[in-house]
Amino acid sequence: SLAISPDGTQLLFRAAASEAMEGYHNGKLFVLPLAGGPPRLVTPADALFDVAEAEWSKDGTAIYFVANLGIR
């Protein structure tokens, strides 16, 4: 899922990658500054959950997401 922040400066995206953008990992959330620069991981690097979808809060101060915690 892709979502531009309410102020138009950042792109929120989900990737099945590590912080170094290596593949084959659980889905994590990243924020990319639209003015340039590297993506920033916003979910824990060692999280055992898989992010399914996400969106910005209306004021852009929070990110809401749904995660698959697996079977316990």
Side-chain angles (χ1 to χ4, degrees):
S1 60
L2 297 172
I4 295 177
S5 61
D7 66 3
T9 63
Q10 301 179 89
L11 176 69
L12 172 67
F13 68 96
R14 179 198 172 276
S18 68
E19 190 169 7
M21 299 308 286
E22 300 163 330
Y24 304 106
H25 291 266
N26 286 343
K28 295 177 176 43
L29 289 179
F30 295 84
V31 171
L32 179 69
L34 293 177
R40 178 175 54 93
L41 180 64
V42 295
T43 49
D46 60 351
L48 299 178
F49 55 79
D50 182 63
V51 174
E53 55 187 275
E55 66 181 55
W56 291 97
S57 62
K58 290 186 189 281
D59 64 3
T61 61
I63 296 168
Y64 304 116
F65 67 93
V66 175
N68 179 353
L69 302 176
I71 299 172
R72 299 202 181 257

